Structure formats: structure tokens, C-alpha cells
């Protein structure tokens, strides 16, 4: 069964009740979550139940070895993550035999996180789990909990391979929420190719947070990075301090000299939020003031609860804003929850880390700086606002990105739309192959197992035998190598040995990045975000498989830029689209990261393009592409449009918009455009999956092409810049330095392609 409902609707209680009951009944429960932090929180909650028969324990990479034996033999409620299940529990299933024999229930929490390639790996791990359970004679119930998603039952079935019932009705009390879509103004600053620079979402978030706290509205601001969150908090504190100062110490003339005037029962003298200028009029803040603020210490300030006179209230306002990030101890988090509930903290700026581990409900407003990626996460974050069924406010602040631009200009794309389906492709042979090896190493595979792993299994098995990875014998398929079969699958990456990210000063391993992504995320000089913390990559050593990083506070962000070539291996599906045609198929992509772009954090201003020396990488993947016949493009060329620039601009914007239809990240996909492609002989625009074998994103683009390309056209047309900017056709990852680009040409090109297609509603 899958329960797919909103934030704070009681999902945990819904699975805890039967899970704990199973334990009391002599059974065992396996609880899976994507992160260790969430498992630790769950464990705390279980212990607070004080049920003596419940022997709950976390089993993850941090669990000491001396505790592991006890857990295997005695725990009846084990909390772990897919990585641990894959690497440790399933390969050593014999040691877990008594646990598996009694296994009644598998809880898969936060399962909306299992999408794309990672989700496909988890799907195969769950199939291996089912097979191991069957070996020990158990047939556990799978109970999945997810944020709201489209067709959750179908998703759950793809994830587990089992028929699934879905629970989607949410009976928890909720007041109405007003949603505002907020577009920051263009500034006088100039970026790449003279394009106008939009005011940043963080600067706008700081203004709005100030105004809301002044209006005594309890507000939560979601910001992408810890540094961003701290900057928002600090800027808002500084602005509130100014207000408090102007109230307390500005004797303009004798008649209004006392600081206590507001407390004297004269509300008319108070500066109401409406007297502060609207943020859109404020232009960019002077960089100096924000520089100073950045050096402020980063500990979470939890003010002592107080409730004196209103004048004290005003003076204390700056202290009522805090920043929060991942990694705080549980006690700090509980204190913070308390401070938020009591109102001693009025404004909290946070990374998404908050989604994992802090229970904040009872807020009045939520600010979301930048599109959070899906409608599902938008509603999840907005759902934090609204206490006791009261009305609430949520503001989505656009970043300078084509998708954000499109959304704030097209509310119909957000409202009245179903949330996204969660996309994954367990049949991807690059995912399935390694798990078949791991499964064979656990228990030799037989014909009876094949249906468990899906329809492509026989072909993939043949390939594995040919490659010498598995051996076919009359009794089935065997793993005969000395190596660990589980090392073949890098479940959070896309194949290849992952690059270890190591803090150079301490030697601490922060995490790993799959090899293909390493070129774009941890190249030398990159600003690397890890759990909301900022690091600077000192050196990427591909041969050693290590990226050395150091904690840093640079005032810029980096974007890797690559040049790409693409060749068509096979067109799997195609149909006419307007006068042109649309294809989905297999391609080979050669990509080389050539430089990286630096942009100032606060203003978005371009700071330069630094060259890099990295080898090209070849990727076999899947792509969606469209072509236009020569007769059509000739007409456009005659009108004076730059065809190459038009196709290039359409490609950039299309990459920006695909995440709206395919639940992926802009960085999961790439594109190539050309006036004349060698394989098609026509003007062609490709958008491909950035993962070996594909991840299902391009396929979604093919299926939703008309809506997707219509939205792309609208995103370009609705941006008020004249010749293109980062909010429409410029791409921060363009290997050609955003040259050539033709904004009007792109609109005409897409109009031509969509000519006979039905207009999207
Ligand atoms: Zn623009
Ligand atoms: Zn480009």
C-alpha cells in the first residue's frame, strides 16, 4: 500500500501503528529512508513510545561493529537506508536469517525521493529484498509513504514490482493558503553578452522576510544553500535593526523624542509594513553591507522567550530571526521547534535540510526562493504554513531561469494541475545488470526469478554471461568472481567508480560524486554544496578518484560549461510534428567540460569564465529530438533570423522547461542544436538524458512534446528582456559562451514547429 498525502497529514502514525503492532505480535519490521538523519529521528520517536517489547535500532554506516551482531540477532524494528540494504544486509542475508524469517512489514518512507536513476536502483534493490524474503519463507507487506504525487499506485508498483493499493485522501484540517508568484525586477547590472541581470531571489527573500516579521507574521524562508539561508537571515536582521534604531533613537523634534512612544499606546506611530518601500523598488542593495554581514558567526541563535511591552518587542525584533541548517544536534532542533511555536522566533531562513528532521508547523507564511523543482515539493513547502486551520501565505520567488520565469508568468501551470508523476526506469539495462549480478551472488538465479526482475531480464542475463560476469549452469546463473558483486552498482550515481570528495584539512570523507557528474560538480575551482555547506574544490584528481575540498565562503557560485557532440544510433519512435518531425531514440554523446563561469552570489553579476583541462567523456544514452525541413528554415533565414542562434536559444529554453514535465533537474539533461546535423541532414535540436542508458526524462519529453515545446515558446516570449538573458535563453552551462543566440528567431522556429499542433490550454 502507498499513502500519498500532504505535509503533516499523519502519514507516520499511519505506518507506525501497524508496524509496532507487528513487532508486539512477534514479527519484525524493516524501515527504509533515504537519509541517516531521518532514520535517527524516527528512532527517537520510537523510543519515546516506551514500548518495552519494541527493540528498535538504526543500522547504517555509522553503526559500531560490536552493535551490529546484537541488531541482527535481537532487534525487531531495524531502520536503515537503501545503500546499507544493498551493500551489507542483502549480501549477508544468512546472518539476518532470523530477522528475515519473521519479517512482516517493510516501510519505505519518503519514497518520492526514489526517482530517476537512483529510484531505478532502489527498485531493483527492493526486488532483491523480496527474493531474499521468499528464501526465508516470509512475504512482508510493503507500506510506502510519499509526498503527494500523481498516480502514486502506478509509481509504487514500478518501485516494488507489486500490485499496490493507494491512499490519497487527506482528512487533516487545513485553512486556505494564498499563493503569490513573485518576479524580482531586472537591475542595471549587465551580465554575459550585455544581458540584463535580474535581482536575486535571496535578496528579495530577505526583503519579504523583513516585511513579514515587521507585520508579526511567523515566516519560514526556504533557500537553496546554508550560506544563502544565512545571508537572508542576516540581511533581514540588519534591516530590522535599522527599523528598531529609527524607532528608538531618532529624536526628529522634541515632540516625538521618546523611544517609548510606540509602547505608549499610540499604534499610529508604528511603522507598519506598508510604509516600507515594496521590495521591487529597492533596487540592488549596496554590496558593502552584505559583505560585512557574511562574516557573522553561524551558530543558531535561539532567543530567550520573552513577552514584555511592545517597545521591547520592536527592539528585540532582529533577534527573532534565525538561520537553520542541517547537522544541528537533536536538542538544538527541539529548542528551535519550541521557539518557533512560542513565537520567540518569528522568522527562520533555512535550507531544504528542514524537510528532514524538524517539525515546524504553526507558521503563518512561507517564502520559497527559487522553484523547488516540482509542484509536489512546492506544495510540500507551502504546506508548512497555516496553524490550527488558519489562513496562510506562501510566496514563490523566481530565480533568473527560464522555468522560474515561465511559472511566475503562467500560474495556470501551477494551479489546478496534478502534481508530478515520479519517473523511474527499473528496466534500464545499466541499472538492472549490476543488480542481477548482486542477486546471483546472494542466491543463484533461476528461471523462476526472472519475472521478479522485469521483462528485459533474459536479454540482460545473456549479455552478462557473454561478458563473463555470470556463469550459466543447469541449475541457474551464478556469480563466480571473487569481487563483491555489489560494487558493480553505484546506486546514487550513474556508473563508473565514484569520485571521493575529501576535506583536505582533515581528511574527512564528505561523500562521493559519480564520475560523469564529477566533471561538472567538483572540477578544480568549483563551489561545491554538501548538505547546505559550501566548499571550494582545491583539486580534482581523476586518476586518484579524489576531489580535495576546503570549507570556504566565496561570494560567487560556479557553473561548469561543456561542449557537446551527438550522433544518432537509432531512432526508436517518431512522428510528425507540424511541418517537422519528432524522434525518440538512442544516441552517443561526447561531452567535454571546458571552463566554468563565476557569478556573484548576491547580485548574479558575471565575474568571469575560467578555463579547465578535462578529458572528453562518451555517453550512450537516450534523447528526444526534432527536425525542420529545409524549405521551412529557408523561409526563416530569408526573414533575417540567425538559424543557428534560433535553434541554440530554443535548445537552452527547452532544457530549462523539461523539468516541468519530466521531474528531473536541469542538470540531469543536456542538449545539442545545429543548423545542419550530419545524421539527420536537417536543422535539429536534441535534448538527452545525462545518465548512461537514460533515465526516462527524454522519453517523457517525447511523450509530452507539444505541451513542453509550447511552454518553451511561452517562457521565451514572456521574458521582458530584449535580446535574451538568463531568465529565458541564456544557459549558465553553455559551452559556447551563449553564442550565437537569437531570441526572436527561437520564437519563430518554435511557432513553425507547433503550427498545426493543437494549442495547449
Ligand atoms: Zn530574458
Ligand atoms: Zn549553448
Amino acid at each position: 500500500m502507498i499513502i500519498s498525502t500532504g505535509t503533516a497529514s499523519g502519514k507516520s502514525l499511519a505506518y507506525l501503528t501497524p508496524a509496532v503492532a507487528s513487532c508486539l505480535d512477534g514479527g519484525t519490521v524493516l524501515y527504509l529512508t533515504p537519509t541517516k538523519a531521518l532514520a535517527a529521528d524516527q528512532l527517537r520517536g520510537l523510543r519515546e513510545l516506551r514500548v518495552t517489547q519494541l527493540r528498535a535500532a538504526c543500522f547504517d554506516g555509522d553503526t559500531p561493529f560490536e552493535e551490529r551482531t546484537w541488531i541482527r540477532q535481537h532487534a525487531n524494528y531495524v531502520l536503515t537506508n537503501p545503500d546499507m540494504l544493498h551493500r551489507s544486509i542483502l549480501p549477508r542475508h544468512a546472518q539476518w536469517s532470523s530477522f528475515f524469517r519473521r519479517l512482516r512489514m517493510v516501510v519505505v518512507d519518503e519514497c518520492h525521493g526514489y526517482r530517476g536513476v537512483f529510484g531505478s536502483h532502489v527498485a531493483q534493490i527492493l526486488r532483491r529484498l523480496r527474493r531474499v524474503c521468499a528464501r526465508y519463507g516470509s512475504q512482508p507487506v510493503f507500506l510506502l509513504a510519499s509526498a503527494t504525487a500523481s498516480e502514486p499506485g502506478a509509481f509504487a508498483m514500478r518501485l516494488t514490482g507489486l500490485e499496490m493499493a493507494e491512499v490519497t485522501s487527506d482528512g487533516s484540517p487545513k485553512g486556505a493558503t494564498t499563493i503569490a508568484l513573485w518576479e524580482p525586477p531586472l537591475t542595471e547590472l549587465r551580465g554575459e553578452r550585455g544581458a540584463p541581470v535580474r535581482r536575486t531571489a535571496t535578496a528579495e527573500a530577505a526583503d519579504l522576510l523583513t516585511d513579514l516579521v515587521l507585520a508579526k507574521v511567523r515566516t519560514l524562508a526556504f533557500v537553496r544553500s546554508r550560506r544563502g539561508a544565512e545571508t537572508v537571515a542576516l540581511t533581514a536582521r540588519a534591516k530590522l535593526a535599522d527599523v528598531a534604531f529609527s524607532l528608538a533613537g531618532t529624536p526628529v523634534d522634541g515632540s516625538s523624542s521618546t523611544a517609548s512612544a510606540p509602547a505608549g499606546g499610540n499604534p499610529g506611530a508604528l511603522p507598519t509594513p506598508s510604509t516600507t518601500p515594496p521590495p521591487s523598488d529597492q533596487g540592488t542593495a549596496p554590496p558593502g553591507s552584505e559583505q560585512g554581514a557574511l562574516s557573522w558567526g553561524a551558530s543558531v541563535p535561539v532567543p530567550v522567550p520573552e513577552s514584555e511591552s511592545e517597545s521591547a518587542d520592536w527592539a528585540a525584533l532582529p533577534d527573532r530571526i534565525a538561520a537553520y541548517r542541517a547537522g544541528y544536534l537533536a536538542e538544538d532542533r527541539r529548542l528551535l521547534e519550541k521557539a518557533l511555536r512560542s513565537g520567540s522566533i518569528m522568522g527562520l531562513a533555512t535550507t531544504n535540510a528542514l524537510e528532514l528532521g524538524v517539525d515546524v508547523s504553526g507558521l503563518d507564511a512561507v517564502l520559497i526562493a527559487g522553484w523547488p523543482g516540482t509542484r509536489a515539493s512546492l506544495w510540500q513547502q507551502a504546506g508548512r504554513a497555516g496553524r490550527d486551520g488558519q489562513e496562510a501565505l506562501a510566496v514563490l520567488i523566481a530565480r533568473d531561469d527560464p522555468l522560474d520565469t515561465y511559472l511566475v508568468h503562467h500560474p495556470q501551470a501551477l494551479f489546478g494541475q496534478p502534481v508530478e508523476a515520479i519517473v523511474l526506469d527499473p528496466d534500464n539495462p545499466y541499472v538492472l545488470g549490476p543488480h542481477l549480478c548482486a542477486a546471483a551472488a546472494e542466491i543463484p538465479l533461476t528461471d523462476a526469478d526472472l519475472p521478479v526482475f522485469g521483462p528485459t531480464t533474459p536479454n540482460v542475463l545473456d549479455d552478462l554471461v557473454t561478458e563473463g560476469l555470470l556463469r550459466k549452469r543447469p541449475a541457474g546463473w551464478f556469480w563466480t568472481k571473487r569481487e563483491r558483486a555489489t560494487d558493480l552498482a553505484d546506486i546514487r550515481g550513474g556508473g563508473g567508480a565514484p569520485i571521493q570528495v575529501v576535506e583536505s584539512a582533515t581528511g574527512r570523507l564528505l561523500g562521493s560524486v559519480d564520475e560523469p557528474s564529477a566533471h561538472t560538480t567538483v572540477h578544480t575551482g568549483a563551489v561545491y554544496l554538501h548538505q547546505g555547506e559550501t566548499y571550494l574544490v582545491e583539486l580534482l584528481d581523476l586518476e586518484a578518484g579524489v576531489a580535495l575540498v576546503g570549507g570556504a565562503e566565496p561570494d560567487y557560485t560556479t557553473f561548469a560549461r561543456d561542449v557537446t557532440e551527438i550522433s544518432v544510433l537509432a531512432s526508436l519512435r517518431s512522428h510528425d510534428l507540424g511541418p517537422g518531425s519528432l524522434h525518440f531514440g538512442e544516441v552517443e554523446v561526447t561531452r567535454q567540460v571546458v571552463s566554468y563561469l563565476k557569478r556573484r552570489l548576491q547580485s548574479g553579476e558575471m565575474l568571469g569564465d575560467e578555463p579547465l583541462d578535462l578529458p572528453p567523456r562518451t555517453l550512450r544514452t537516450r534523447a528526444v529530438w526534432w527536425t525542420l525541413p529545409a524549405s521551412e528554415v529557408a523561409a526563416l533565414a530569408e526573414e533575417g533570423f540567425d538559424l543557428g542562434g534560433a535553434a541554440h536559444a530554443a535548445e537552452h529554453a527547452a532544457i530549462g522547461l523539461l523539468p516541468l514535465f519530466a521531474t528531473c533537474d536541469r542538470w540531469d539533461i543536456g542538449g545539442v542544436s545545429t543548423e545542419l546535423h550530419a545524421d539527420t541532414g536537417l536543422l535539429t535540436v536534441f535534448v538527452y538524458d545525462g545518465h548512461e542508458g537514460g533515465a526516462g526524462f527524454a522519453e517523457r519529453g517525447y511523450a509530452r512534446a507539444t505541451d513542453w515545446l509550447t511552454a518553451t515558446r511561452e517562457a521565451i516570449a514572456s521574458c521582458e528582456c530584449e535580446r535574451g538573458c538568463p531568465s529565458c535563453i541564456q544557459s549558465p552551462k553553455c559551452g559556447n559562451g551563449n553564442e550565437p543566440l537569437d531570441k526572436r528567431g527561437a520564437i519563430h522556429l518554435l511557432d513553425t514547429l507547433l503550427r498545426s499542433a493543437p494549442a495547449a490550454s
Side-chain angles (χ1 to χ4, degrees):
M1 165 165 309
I2 180 165
I3 306 168
S4 171
T5 53
T7 316
S9 56
K11 287 192 286 278
S12 307
L13 198 57
Y15 63 69
L16 268 175
T17 312
V20 171
S22 301
C23 294
L24 297 182
D25 209 22
T28 60
V29 171
L30 183 66
Y31 170 90
L32 286 174
T33 153
T35 69
K36 284 189 265 189
L38 192 59
D41 272 1
Q42 284 283 322
L43 180 63
R44 196 168 309 110
L46 284 165
R47 291 198 169 143
E48 279 165 11
L49 294 176
R50 299 188 191 285
V51 178
T52 45
Q53 300 96 318
L54 194 62
R55 295 181 302 277
C58 282
F59 191 84
D60 57 37
D62 297 340
T63 309
F65 278 87
E66 53 276 20
E67 281 176 31
R68 294 188 177 197
T69 311
W70 183 89
I71 294 172
R72 281 193 290 260
Q73 290 170 356
H74 301 292
N76 55 8
Y77 198 115
V78 172
L79 304 101
T80 188
N81 50 57
D83 311 67
M84 214 50 196
L85 188 58
H86 164 66
R87 291 195 165 275
S88 176
I89 298 176
L90 290 175
R92 299 193 188 98
H93 58 85
Q95 298 176 346
W96 290 84
S97 58
S98 80
F99 181 83
F100 279 126
R101 206 167 286 129
R102 292 178 295 139
L103 187 59
R104 299 274 181 85
M105 183 173 288
V106 178
V107 178
V108 187
D109 202 3
E110 301 281 324
C111 68
H112 51 272
Y114 301 135
R115 61 181 190 86
V117 176
F118 179 47
S120 307
H121 279 289
V122 173
Q124 293 300 347
I125 293 167
L126 293 179
R127 283 158 178 74
R128 283 164 49 202
L129 170 65
R130 284 171 44 210
R131 206 171 69 103
V132 164
C133 290
R135 149 65 61 108
Y136 294 100
S138 63
Q139 215 181 358
V141 170
F142 281 72
L143 185 40
L144 281 61
S146 158
T148 351
S150 234
E151 303 168 21
F155 155 69
M157 196 175 150
R158 281 197 116 179
L159 190 65
T160 60
L162 295 166
E163 287 290 336
M164 283 278 176
E166 54 181 44
V167 174
T168 54
S169 66
D170 183 344
S172 58
K174 289 240 158 56
T177 300
T178 300
I179 313 267
L181 306 179
W182 192 278
E183 183 174 51
L186 293 176
T187 64
E188 295 303 311
L189 285 170
R190 285 287 169 267
E192 192 171 21
R193 314 256 162 226
V197 172
R198 206 173 276 288
R199 192 154 189 256
T200 62
T202 39
E204 295 281 315
D207 284 356
L208 288 170
L209 184 60
T210 309
D211 288 352
L212 287 164
V213 169
L214 274 175
K216 304 276 168 82
V217 174
R218 292 184 200 178
T219 305
L220 185 64
F222 283 106
V223 190
R224 193 170 153 263
S225 68
R226 196 259 305 167
R227 290 231 17 242
E230 272 165 15
T231 307
V232 167
L234 288 165
T235 311
R237 287 166 71 111
K239 285 172 195 272
L240 287 170
D242 284 349
V243 173
F245 179 78
S246 66
L247 278 170
T250 48
V252 179
D253 57 47
S255 64
S256 66
S257 63
T258 56
S260 57
N266 179 9
L270 292 178
T272 60
S274 59
T275 65
T276 59
S280 55
D281 291 338
Q282 292 183 353
T284 42
S289 65
E290 323 215 300
Q291 291 292 349
L294 289 176
S295 56
W296 179 73
S299 63
V300 74
V302 180
V304 186
E306 44 80 32
S307 59
E308 283 92 27
S309 71
E310 214 168 326
S311 73
D313 253 28
W314 286 108
L317 267 184
D319 297 332
R320 292 181 158 207
I321 292 195
Y324 175 78
R325 63 186 163 94
Y328 285 129
L329 297 174
E331 302 84 79
D332 294 334
R333 287 188 270 156
R334 300 291 98 87
L335 265 177
L336 192 68
E337 286 170 11
K338 240 173 119 181
L340 274 166
R341 265 197 296 275
S342 72
S344 63
I345 285 186
M346 298 284 292
L348 181 69
T350 177
T351 60
N352 285 351
L354 191 65
E355 294 289 332
L356 304 171
V358 183
D359 177 20
V360 281
S361 34
L363 293 151
D364 304 311
V366 167
L367 303 173
I368 301 163
W371 171 240
T374 58
R375 281 184 289 268
S377 15
L378 179 75
W379 301 134
Q380 201 177 10
Q381 294 185 350
R384 296 279 185 176
R387 49 178 149 156
D388 311 325
Q390 287 179 30
E391 294 195 0
L393 170 72
V395 185
L396 171 64
I397 307 166
R399 275 192 304 232
D400 59 346
D401 169 288
L403 183 48
D404 288 41
T405 310
Y406 174 78
L407 291 171
V408 292
H409 284 275
H410 296 81
Q412 66 273 23
L414 293 175
F415 303 109
Q417 293 285 335
V419 292
E420 294 79 3
I422 304 164
V423 178
L424 72 158
D425 179 12
D427 299 332
N428 177 340
Y430 292 89
V431 171
L432 178 57
H435 289 288
L436 287 175
C437 291
E442 282 148 19
I443 306 161
L445 284 164
T446 63
D447 283 324
D449 292 320
L450 303 191
V452 174
F453 292 97
T456 54
T457 308
N459 290 340
V460 176
L461 276 176
D462 288 348
D463 290 346
L464 293 170
V465 171
T466 314
E467 289 168 39
L469 287 166
L470 290 183
R471 232 180 252 180
K472 174 111 171 77
R473 293 189 184 140
W477 289 265
F478 288 77
W479 173 260
T480 53
K481 296 189 162 290
R482 295 174 58 92
E483 295 82 18
R484 289 156 49 101
T486 47
D487 288 346
L488 291 175
D490 169 22
I491 71 170
R492 300 214 185 222
I499 303 288
Q500 310 288 333
V501 182
V502 175
E503 194 174 36
S504 61
T506 60
R508 188 166 64 105
L509 179 67
L510 294 177
S512 65
V513 176
D514 61 286
E515 202 263 341
S517 316
H519 294 216
T520 49
T521 56
V522 291
H523 59 77
T524 303
V527 173
Y528 175 70
L529 279 178
H530 176 73
Q531 294 191 343
E533 299 288 333
T534 312
Y535 298 86
L536 204 56
V537 180
E538 293 156 2
L539 179 73
L540 169 61
D541 185 340
L542 286 172
E543 264 168 42
V546 171
L548 292 174
V549 305
E553 308 267 296
D555 67 339
Y556 58 85
T557 50
T558 55
F559 301 91
R561 322 186 84 167
D562 57 21
V563 288
T564 310
E565 279 171 37
I566 197 163
S567 58
V568 175
L569 301 176
S571 170
L572 301 173
R573 271 171 255 164
S574 68
H575 61 74
D576 291 345
L577 185 64
S581 59
L582 181 78
H583 298 259
F584 167 69
E586 287 173 5
V587 293
E588 187 171 273
V589 176
T590 306
R591 237 184 341 179
Q592 186 170 20
V593 174
V594 290
S595 68
Y596 66 98
L597 184 73
K598 287 157 84 166
R599 282 172 71 184
R600 197 181 293 285
L601 202 61
Q602 271 301 294
S603 63
E605 186 189 350
M606 248 277 285
L607 296 174
D609 199 0
E610 307 283 335
L612 285 169
D613 182 23
L614 285 162
R617 297 195 76 266
T618 305
L619 176 74
R620 275 173 86 117
T621 183
R622 296 184 161 197
V624 52
W625 66 93
W626 71 87
T627 59
L628 274 177
S631 55
E632 292 289 340
V633 296
L636 288 173
E638 271 166 34
E639 287 179 56
F641 295 115
D642 169 1
L643 290 178
H648 190 197
E651 172 219 321
H652 282 181
I655 293 171
L657 268 292
L658 185 57
L660 188 59
F661 301 92
T663 324
C664 58
D665 195 283
R666 182 175 179 168
W667 305 91
D668 286 337
I669 48 180
V672 177
S673 56
T674 162
E675 201 177 329
L676 185 69
H677 191 268
D679 293 332
T680 64
L682 298 168
L683 180 144
T684 313
V685 176
F686 295 89
V687 173
Y688 61 85
D689 280 350
H691 299 275
E692 198 78 45
F697 307 136
E699 192 172 6
R700 287 286 291 184
Y702 179 82
R704 301 286 308 276
T706 305
D707 294 336
W708 169 37
L709 296 171
T710 305
T712 302
R713 187 234 176 254
E714 289 300 305
I716 301 172
S718 59
C719 185
E720 78 256 38
C721 74
E722 198 168 328
R723 297 180 49 217
C725 74
S727 301
C728 56
I729 58 171
Q730 284 193 345
S731 165
K733 57 178 189 166
C734 179
N736 296 319
N738 283 303
E739 185 77 348
L741 289 175
D742 184 339
K743 178 173 172 174
R744 291 207 315 124
I747 296 172
H748 281 271
L749 200 63
L750 289 165
D751 280 343
T752 307
L753 189 67
L754 295 162
R755 200 158 57 204
S756 61
S761 56

